[in-house]
């Protein structure tokens, strides 16, 4: 049996049981899980191996790749600027980034962009390379020149490889510093977070080694009925799904454990965090943590209000988006259907983070075994979230 360490407050023992069951029954290799309630951790667990090749153990400060979950940092940076009155969510993106107005994009607002409704999910005209991530502007120049895939605001489609740079460029234009510099100065530094869209050299020794899912595991994910359309679209090089994912990135899974991947500014795909820091980040969005609160309750309510729901143009499945964050709905959001008002994001590495303002909950889960689902929200995550809310309901019944 895999040993787990950490703390579980009284009454939250089912979370530890579910966490340990993922190692015993669901192929967990190494992972961390943290849950905050009312601004303090009530669950803070870690276990397994950060590097199965060397048997390096997972520790509380182990950081691991987040894949798409890292998008929340770029979104939060834009929202923090909005909270401070420096960005108007209803203003055109071109107010802050004039070149963005090209090719019919002059009317796209910041809110439309952050709701994945701008029609800019694809980078197939210039697939992203490591050098492009290092230099930043080749990606933002390509996006500024691009024409939308659909009339902006009329549909939604996951901007899986582009949203980090789209949001990050707004931050750069308004603040005058790079996204990673802004995060360090205004969010991760004040909250004391191990969350990065570009990993500093000093943190690399704590980075977990990713374990890519084997063919049988991936096949299991592809058999989820709700993903049949997405799986079929990814097999068609002419589809928007293919162009927006495989056709937009010239970097493969073989780069997953190359340190260079995490030492460039990659806010859509390659950020990293510890589980404790991911949960603390979400806690800081909805409440005060050591004197720091990122967003006021009014903006939080706007963020978690669905902006778009229904069939996603790029994921070919039901999704729902607030402002800069996913909200419950569809196969990639593993929340029990009775839950509303949550906002967060999952990633292909298996990571997941979210906030529940009504119940004053913040959740961070970071593993190093990639997800069997192509965009995360997998069976491990589902079991942890179900255990969390069953526990909360038991406590409320008293």
């Amino acid at each position: 049996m895999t040993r787990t360490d950490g703390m579980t407050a009284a009454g939250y023992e089912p979370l530890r049981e579910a966490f340990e069951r993922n190692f015993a029954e669901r192929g967990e290799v190494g992972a961390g899980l943290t849950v905050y309630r009312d601004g303090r951790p009530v669950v803070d667990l870690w276990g397994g191996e950060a590097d199965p090749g060397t048997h390096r153990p997972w520790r509380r400060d182990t950081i691991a790749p987040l894949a798409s979950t890292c998008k929340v940092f770029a979104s939060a940076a834009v929202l923090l600027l909005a909270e401070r009155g420096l960005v108007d969510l209803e203003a055109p993106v071109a107010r802050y980034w004039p070149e963005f107005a090209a090719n019919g994009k002059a009317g796209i607002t910041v809110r439309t962009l952050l709701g994945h409704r701008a029609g800019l999910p694809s980078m197939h005209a210039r697939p992203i390379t490591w050098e492009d991530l290092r230099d930043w502007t080749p990606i933002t120049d390509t996006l500024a020149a691009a024409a939308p895939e659909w009339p902006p605001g009329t549909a939604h489609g996951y901007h899986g490889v582009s949203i980090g740079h789209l949001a990050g460029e707004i931050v750069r234009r308004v603040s005058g510093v790079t996204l990673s510099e802004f995060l360090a100065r205004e969010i991760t530094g004040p909250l004391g977070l191990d969350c990065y869209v570009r990993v500093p050299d000093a943190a690399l020794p704590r980075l977990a080694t990713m374990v890519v899912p084997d063919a049988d595991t991936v096949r299991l994910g592809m058999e989820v009925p709700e993903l049949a359309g997405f799986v079929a679209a990814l097999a068609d090089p002419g589809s928007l799904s293919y162009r927006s994912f495989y056709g937009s990135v010239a970097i493969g899974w073989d780069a997953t454990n190359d340190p260079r991947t995490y030492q460039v500014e990659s806010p859509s795909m390659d950020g990293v965090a510890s589980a404790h820091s991911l949960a603390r980040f979400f806690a800081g969005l909805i409440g005060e943590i050591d004197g720091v609160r990122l967003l006021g309750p009014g903006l939080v309510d706007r963020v978690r209000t669905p902006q778009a729901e229904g069939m996603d143009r790029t994921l070919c499945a039901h999704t729902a988006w607030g402002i800069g964050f996913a909200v419950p709905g569809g196969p990639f959001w593993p929340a029990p259907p009775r839950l509303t008002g949550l906002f967060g994001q999952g990633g292909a590495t298996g990571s997941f983070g979210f906030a529940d303002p009504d119940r004053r909950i913040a959740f961070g889960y970071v593993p190093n075994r990639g997800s069997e689902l192509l965009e995360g929200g997998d069976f491990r995550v589902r079991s942890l979230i179900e255990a969390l809310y069953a526990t909360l309901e038991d406590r409320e019944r008293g």
Side-chain angles (χ1 to χ4, degrees):
M1 178 123 179
T2 300
R3 177 185 172 186
T4 60
D5 293 301
M7 175 275 294
T8 308
Y12 290 88
E13 293 84 1
L15 267 293
R16 180 184 284 272
E17 294 167 8
F19 184 65
E20 293 176 344
R21 200 157 47 243
N22 279 345
F23 286 95
E25 301 175 6
R26 297 188 176 92
E28 196 75 280
V29 177
L33 169 67
T34 301
V35 176
Y36 269 67
R37 190 169 200 198
D38 293 320
R40 61 181 182 84
V42 293
V43 175
D44 198 13
L45 300 171
W46 58 93
E49 294 181 331
D51 185 345
T54 64
H55 302 295
R56 172 164 56 97
W58 197 285
R59 303 189 188 282
R60 185 174 186 266
D61 66 351
T62 295
I63 56 177
L66 299 176
S68 290
T69 303
C70 76
K71 292 174 172 63
V72 300
F73 305 137
S75 296
V78 176
L79 292 167
L80 181 58
L81 290 170
E83 181 70 41
R84 294 175 177 177
L86 299 174
V87 166
D88 181 352
L89 295 176
E90 303 304 326
V93 173
R95 174 186 293 182
Y96 312 105
W97 179 5
E99 298 89 338
F100 184 81
N103 260 324
K105 303 195 299 301
I108 296 175
T109 66
V110 177
R111 180 167 62 88
T112 296
L113 181 76
L114 292 180
H116 294 256
R117 297 186 295 134
L120 298 169
S122 173
M123 289 289 298
H124 73 281
R126 183 196 172 111
I128 296 170
T129 66
W130 180 86
E131 289 78 12
D132 291 341
L133 291 169
R134 178 195 64 197
D135 297 338
W136 183 267
T137 53
I139 298 173
T140 54
D141 288 349
T142 298
L143 291 167
E149 297 277 355
W150 59 80
T154 64
H156 71 282
Y158 184 42
H159 289 41
V161 303
S162 61
I163 193 66
H165 279 81
L166 290 165
E169 185 65 5
I170 296 172
V171 174
R172 191 173 78 92
R173 296 294 181 115
V174 173
S175 70
V177 298
T178 68
L179 176 61
S180 59
E181 290 169 337
F182 182 85
L183 289 170
R185 187 180 73 192
E186 305 293 344
I187 296 178
T188 62
L191 284 170
L193 305 180
D194 263 332
C195 298
Y196 308 100
V197 297
R198 184 175 64 195
V199 181
D201 291 346
L204 282 175
R206 295 187 284 111
L207 183 64
T209 299
M210 284 303 302
V211 179
V212 179
D214 59 28
D216 288 340
T217 301
V218 172
R219 192 175 301 113
L220 177 66
M222 288 185 171
E223 291 173 354
V224 174
E226 298 94 329
L227 300 185
F230 186 39
V231 172
L234 286 178
D236 176 8
S239 73
L240 178 59
S241 299
Y242 186 98
R243 289 187 282 113
S244 299
F245 290 95
Y246 297 152
S248 289
V249 183
I251 305 169
W253 273 108
D254 57 336
T256 300
N257 288 312
D258 183 342
R260 295 193 319 162
T261 300
Y262 308 102
Q263 293 183 289
V264 291
E265 201 115 341
S266 185
S268 288
M269 304 179 289
D270 299 314
V272 310
S274 68
H276 182 89
S277 288
L278 184 60
R280 186 175 172 87
F281 162 79
F282 276 99
L285 291 177
I286 63 172
E288 186 173 304
I289 306 295
D290 294 336
V292 177
R293 176 169 181 158
L294 300 177
L295 307 180
L299 185 51
V300 167
D301 281 341
R302 293 186 68 192
V303 165
R304 64 181 178 152
T305 299
Q307 306 293 305
E309 293 183 86
M311 185 57 63
D312 188 294
R313 287 283 187 96
T314 55
L315 292 174
C316 300
H318 183 101
T319 63
W321 297 96
I323 302 178
F325 295 83
V327 296
F332 300 108
W333 181 276
R338 64 187 179 280
L339 297 177
T340 58
L342 288 63
F343 63 96
Q345 180 80 46
T349 57
S351 64
F352 205 90
F354 72 87
D356 180 344
D358 294 335
R359 299 163 187 84
R360 308 172 309 284
I361 289 287
F363 175 100
Y365 165 69
V366 178
N368 66 340
R369 195 265 286 168
S371 177
E372 58 265 27
L373 299 187
L374 297 169
E375 270 299 316
D378 65 27
F379 309 112
R380 295 169 295 173
V381 178
R382 204 171 293 269
S383 70
L384 295 170
I385 294 177
E386 287 174 352
L388 169 61
Y389 282 94
T391 297
L392 292 176
E393 289 170 1
D394 286 345
R395 291 173 64 86
E396 288 169 1
R397 285 194 294 264

